[in-house]
Amino acid sequence: MIWYRRSIFVFSACFVLIGIALLVVTAVNGGGLVGLVLGALFVALGVGRIQLERKRGT
């Protein structure tokens, strides 16, 4: 099941990167509430999922 844990980390890291990209693009284009909120939510989702997987630790 090590492949499962690795895939969780990979997908979580992708969510974090997508969130950061959304935040950067939104900031460069003058800012907008929807872009900032979605970017922050993607980052929170990725970080939260990594934390849950680390606490589960098998």
Side-chain angles (χ1 to χ4, degrees):
M1 289 278 274
I2 195 157
W3 60 269
Y4 175 76
R5 291 194 69 186
R6 286 187 183 161
S7 66
I8 292 298
F9 284 117
V10 168
F11 284 119
S12 298
C14 288
F15 281 130
V16 171
L17 292 174
I18 290 169
I20 291 171
L22 272 169
L23 290 171
V24 168
V25 168
T26 302
V28 167
N29 289 327
L33 184 62
V34 174
L36 292 175
V37 169
L38 284 176
L41 287 174
F42 267 99
V43 171
L45 172 70
V47 170
R49 187 62 183 115
I50 288 172
Q51 290 300 319
L52 285 173
E53 188 61 29
R54 287 181 70 199
K55 284 184 181 180
R56 188 176 79 108
T58 50

